Amino acid sequence: MRVATWLFLAFTALYLFTGGGHFYASDDVQKLAVLDALADHHTVAIPDGWVRGAGGLRYAWFPLGASLVMLPGWLLGKLAALVLPVPAVFAVRFCVAMQNAVISAALVTLFFAACRRLGAPRGGALVATLGLGLGSLVWPYAKTAWSEPTTALALYGGLAALWLARERPRWLVVAGVGLALAVAIRQEFLLAALGAIAWWCWQTRGRGLLWLATPLALVGVAALAYDAVRYGTPFSFPSYHLPQKKVVMAEGRFSWSLRNFYQYTVSPNQGIFWYSPVTLACFGGFRGGVAGLLALSLGPLALFYMAGWGLSSWAWGLRYAYVFVPALVLPLAWAPRKLATPLVALGLGVQLLAVLHNPLELYERELARVPGLTIQQLMIQRAHAPLWLAAKDAPATLARGRAALVDPQPAPPGPLEHHQGLPDVWWLLVLLAPVPRALVAVVAALMALAGLVSAWALARALRAEARAGV
């Protein structure tokens, strides 16, 4: 327990210190606007919503859960704006963006606990956990306000509880709630939830199925009611149909799906093995009997993304691949150290490039440099792979960061999104925002100190466990 606690605190401090502190996509703005509309006007209609719904009002097309998951950061940001000398829009977006640091650290800690529960040796579990936390998409996505970290934590929390429920049935309640929360945030995760339930029925002939199904049923009713409010009918399913109107499948769905398989796996533009090299551990096979649960839950979701959804833009690697990363890294806990260590080191190098850059800026600069280039071409042409763009731009980005530290030039008040070309960490970006430098220095120093102390305490706890033979 001590090891898990210090592991969580160490990764929380690291992710907070390297956070971006701002939004990376207009999706986040839409989701946050729903909270503002609920608080200020008691409605889910928003002025600049992407779709027109009932009564001619405009709405965000995302599920309500995708907005409610931002509530902790929204509340903290509102409070911060009352007591600190910072603009309200900056404070709220900063806190919402930074909450994924804590959620991602919780995901890493859950992964470590799962490795140990499945019988992985202490050293192997720690190496695999470092691979997940430092060498995969988990680190750069901890900077963002994307919903992937929270959804993955809810899903894997549900799967872990389901695994424990084989011996302790009371964990079925936790499993049902975890799976339901994942579906409430991203509705396609219903496929993963149903796959997990199928595995449970296969293992136990449906024992305690009501505990699993009830939370999902409640989320389903709430989702249908939310769509009825927005669109006048509960069966329009805008969260799927509206984005799909923008998908082009000129070669036909089958060939399009095969291309997506390439893009999801080995494409330099978005392939998971490039942007999370530690996932190559999956070829080592799974231990502990957990392969069936992971296959039945994640397999249908993978097929949906490749055959029914497509690619993601304006992100580091492929956003939709995020949820598969912990499962694919799991075999690393049993891999020989001479194979595991190089994979972790390679992944660390990739994520250091990711943390340094804002992926949105990488895309925008490349689009400006190449006349006629479209975002669709940029996502699939190897010459424009974000990994290559990040490596190429790294020297100039670091140089601009050094210059800002020496002689910051404050910009007019406004959100951090307007500050371009700097290393993408909050404590450097806010040098160009209307925030006192002393406040920035104190907070950043405290985060760095917390990280060092937690890492030191983690090392001590690991040594103590080793001596005790735990």
Side-chain angles (χ1 to χ4, degrees):
M1 185 64 181
R2 287 179 57 204
V3 170
T5 300
W6 288 115
L7 189 68
F8 170 73
L9 293 175
F11 271 100
T12 297
L14 173 67
Y15 291 158
L16 286 174
F17 184 74
T18 58
H22 62 95
F23 285 179
Y24 291 80
S26 53
D27 300 41
D28 303 328
V29 178
Q30 291 273 305
K31 297 170 188 175
L32 185 63
V34 174
L35 292 183
D36 289 327
L38 280 170
D40 297 337
H41 307 293
H42 311 294
T43 178
V44 293
I46 58 177
D48 300 316
W50 288 346
V51 293
R52 189 179 299 277
L57 300 175
R58 304 201 70 87
Y59 299 89
W61 69 34
F62 304 98
L64 183 59
S67 294
L68 293 179
V69 78
M70 293 179 165
L71 189 58
W74 183 85
L75 290 172
L76 186 59
K78 291 290 186 181
L79 178 62
L82 294 176
V83 298
L84 296 176
V86 295
V89 64
F90 167 75
V92 171
R93 291 191 180 189
F94 181 89
C95 291
V96 169
M98 297 294 271
Q99 74 177 39
N100 265 345
V102 181
I103 291 166
S104 301
L107 177 63
V108 171
T109 307
L110 174 65
F111 178 84
F112 176 78
C115 288
R116 295 294 283 145
R117 179 74 183 186
L118 292 171
R122 184 190 309 104
L126 181 62
V127 169
T129 301
L130 294 177
L132 178 69
L134 300 176
S136 79
L137 291 177
V138 169
W139 190 0
Y141 280 73
K143 293 157 52 90
T144 73
W146 292 113
S147 59
E148 275 71 16
T150 311
T151 316
L153 177 62
L155 176 64
Y156 282 103
L159 295 180
L162 196 60
W163 184 262
L164 293 175
R166 296 176 308 154
E167 300 174 0
R168 301 175 183 176
R170 64 177 179 270
W171 282 99
L172 276 178
V173 178
V174 180
V177 171
L179 297 175
L181 287 175
V183 175
I185 301 167
R186 294 193 67 89
Q187 292 175 345
E188 69 271 18
F189 275 61
L190 178 61
L191 296 171
L194 293 176
I197 291 175
W199 176 86
W200 178 255
C201 291
W202 174 39
Q203 293 287 315
T204 68
R205 298 183 180 179
R207 172 169 52 89
L209 186 59
L210 186 64
W211 294 110
L212 285 173
T214 299
L216 284 170
L218 293 175
V219 165
V221 170
L224 293 175
Y226 186 52
D227 281 356
V229 169
R230 290 186 296 175
Y231 304 105
T233 172
F235 301 109
S236 58
F237 303 112
S239 300
Y240 177 72
H241 292 298
L242 293 174
Q244 286 302 289
K245 290 181 179 180
K246 298 180 179 293
V247 175
V248 178
M249 293 182 286
E251 68 272 59
R253 183 175 292 274
F254 180 74
S255 296
W256 177 78
S257 301
L258 291 179
R259 188 185 70 185
N260 284 341
F261 177 76
Y262 163 76
Q263 292 290 340
Y264 270 61
T265 54
V266 296
S267 163
N269 296 76
Q270 299 201 325
I272 192 171
F273 298 131
W274 286 90
Y275 293 86
S276 294
V278 287
T279 56
L280 289 167
C282 69
F283 294 108
F286 292 84
R287 309 282 182 90
V290 75
L293 175 58
L294 294 177
L296 283 176
S297 57
L298 296 178
L301 189 60
L303 289 174
F304 166 78
Y305 278 136
M306 285 185 281
W309 195 255
L311 305 178
S312 63
S313 59
W314 309 111
W316 181 255
L318 187 65
R319 278 197 300 121
Y320 310 130
Y322 181 103
V323 68
F324 306 105
V325 169
L328 297 178
V329 175
L330 186 61
L332 198 65
W334 289 268
R337 194 65 55 85
K338 63 182 180 181
L339 295 178
T341 302
L343 275 182
V344 174
L346 179 60
L348 174 62
V350 170
Q351 307 321 320
L352 285 174
L353 285 176
V355 171
L356 176 64
H357 291 286
N358 179 344
L360 178 63
E361 290 184 20
L362 290 176
Y363 278 91
E364 289 178 337
R365 285 200 293 268
E366 188 69 359
L367 290 171
R369 278 195 289 250
V370 183
L373 182 68
T374 66
I375 184 64
Q376 289 77 17
Q377 293 170 332
L378 194 151
M379 287 192 295
I380 63 175
Q381 294 180 359
R382 286 175 291 179
H384 310 296
L387 188 57
W388 161 241
L389 299 180
K392 183 172 60 175
D393 285 3
T397 301
L398 288 171
R400 285 190 289 266
R402 286 193 296 270
L405 282 173
V406 173
D407 185 24
Q409 297 295 323
L416 289 182
E417 285 88 332
H418 300 303
H419 308 313
Q420 302 283 315
L422 292 172
D424 192 42
V425 288
W426 68 271
W427 46 267
L428 186 55
L429 295 177
V430 296
L431 293 178
L432 305 183
V435 181
R437 278 178 70 92
L439 177 62
V440 175
V442 168
V443 175
L446 288 175
M447 287 182 181
L449 180 61
L452 292 173
V453 171
S454 298
W456 172 78
L458 173 62
R460 287 195 62 184
L462 286 167
R463 286 195 296 269
E465 275 198 2
R467 287 194 297 268
V470 178

